Amino acid sequence: MDARTVGAGALARSRERLALAAAALVGVQVGAGIAASRWLVHDLGPLSLTFLRYAIALASLLPFLVGARAALARLSRRETSAVAALGITQFGLLIVLLNVGLTYIDASLGALLFATFPLLTMAIATLAGHERFDVALLAGAGLSIVGVALALGVRPPSIAAGDLAIGAACALAAALCGAVCSVLYRPLLQRHAMLPMGALSMAAAVAALAPAAWAEGLTRNALLLSSGQWAALAAVGLSSGVAYWVWLWALKHTAPTKATTFLALSPVTAALIGTVALGEPLGWGFALGLACILSGLAVTGARRTVPISA
């Protein structure tokens, strides 16, 4: 093995470590966004909130899109359609399914079901031939899910069987949407510039959400927000733009299964912020659950995974 090969391997490992750190930051940002959304969603409405959040995020990316037209021109018509569909699925369908699910089941159970995201990603990536099955990754993802359950104090819900079935199906379908998008983004990211492609994806979602937000009463509800709520909305939107770019970078430089495992940090972050800022109680198992999550992430991060194909 020559020095050039050794150097390339070291660079790849360094990039993967940075990618996992980036995925962890995104997990924290997603959790912070969930906590802020709790304050905004009842006054603004779920569709209007999602539309404004990603419209602000898209606007925050525009100053960095110099030369984007040339980059987007390299996308084939089929790839352009795929990127738009991924954006609509990730920023539209996923959120709608999760919000619908949470009208039937409580938030802690919804968060636990959504935390199956990395296991679904692993299954899809393996079946698609993008990654090899790895027992250690499975163990790390499973340990993280157990940690989420402990941290949020998830208990068997005392709700009707029909409501449980609908709510669980919607939450799992939302996780499946995210898993599919994470796997399908990676081949595109290997061939095209991240930022222009990400902006196109987000623009498609914003365009798709606009009519639904308008029908929900976007203009009327937005005028009733306080200055503090607008500040929170702007912070969530701007951070979402940065986080999306960081997320795409993470997916480009590590396996989707490893990146998505770090999203287990999001419900824990949301719970912690909810306690500090909104006075929401923490369950008895929060510390133990956090320890399980961090242990699972340590197991996941320690594994070197080499995708079968880009």
Side-chain angles (χ1 to χ4, degrees):
M1 183 178 296
D2 58 26
R4 182 177 299 178
T5 302
V6 173
L11 179 60
R13 288 191 294 274
S14 177
R15 282 181 176 172
E16 183 173 57
R17 285 193 292 269
L18 288 174
L20 296 179
L25 287 174
V26 172
V28 172
Q29 188 278 334
V30 169
I34 292 171
S37 296
R38 290 175 185 165
W39 185 33
L40 297 168
V41 68
H42 295 295
D43 293 324
L44 194 53
L47 294 172
S48 299
L49 173 58
T50 305
F51 169 76
L52 286 176
R53 174 177 178 171
Y54 291 114
I56 293 171
L58 178 62
S60 73
L61 296 177
L62 294 180
F64 305 99
L65 292 175
V66 178
R69 181 175 298 181
L72 292 175
R74 289 192 284 272
L75 287 168
S76 68
R77 182 174 299 180
R78 182 177 180 180
E79 287 174 327
T80 300
S81 298
V83 170
L86 287 171
I88 293 170
T89 301
Q90 181 174 2
F91 301 114
L93 182 59
L94 186 158
I95 302 299
V96 170
L97 284 169
L98 191 56
N99 286 339
V100 170
L102 292 176
T103 64
Y104 290 93
I105 58 178
D106 58 55
S108 59
L109 179 58
L112 176 62
L113 292 170
F114 190 71
T116 59
F117 196 139
L119 292 180
L120 293 172
T121 302
M122 179 183 295
I124 294 169
T126 302
L127 291 172
H130 288 228
E131 296 180 35
R132 294 183 178 88
F133 178 78
D134 190 303
V135 174
L137 282 177
L138 177 63
L143 189 57
S144 296
I145 292 173
V146 171
V148 170
L150 290 171
L152 300 183
V154 177
R155 298 176 299 276
S158 55
I159 58 177
D163 288 347
L164 175 61
I166 295 172
C170 288
L172 289 172
L176 181 61
C177 286
V180 169
C181 288
S182 296
V183 173
L184 295 183
Y185 265 127
R186 185 174 171 86
L188 292 165
L189 291 169
Q190 303 305 310
R191 298 193 297 269
H192 301 287
M194 291 184 300
L195 194 55
M197 194 180 72
L200 173 62
S201 178
M202 193 174 289
V206 169
L209 285 165
W214 182 268
E216 189 181 46
L218 169 64
T219 303
R220 179 187 67 252
N221 295 337
L223 291 174
L224 297 177
L225 294 182
S226 67
S227 57
Q229 287 176 309
W230 272 110
L233 179 59
V236 170
L238 292 172
S239 64
S240 294
V242 175
Y244 184 46
W245 183 88
V246 171
W247 177 245
L248 292 180
W249 191 89
L251 289 177
K252 183 172 183 175
H253 294 289
T254 191
T257 297
K258 296 184 74 168
T260 56
T261 303
F262 282 76
L263 293 180
L265 292 171
S266 59
V268 175
T269 301
L272 189 58
I273 293 176
T275 297
V276 174
L278 304 177
E280 298 175 348
L282 281 179
W284 61 268
F286 184 84
L288 179 59
L290 181 58
C292 286
I293 290 171
L294 295 178
S295 298
L297 297 183
V299 171
T300 299
R303 297 295 299 171
R304 285 190 62 196
T305 54
V306 180
I308 296 173
S309 61

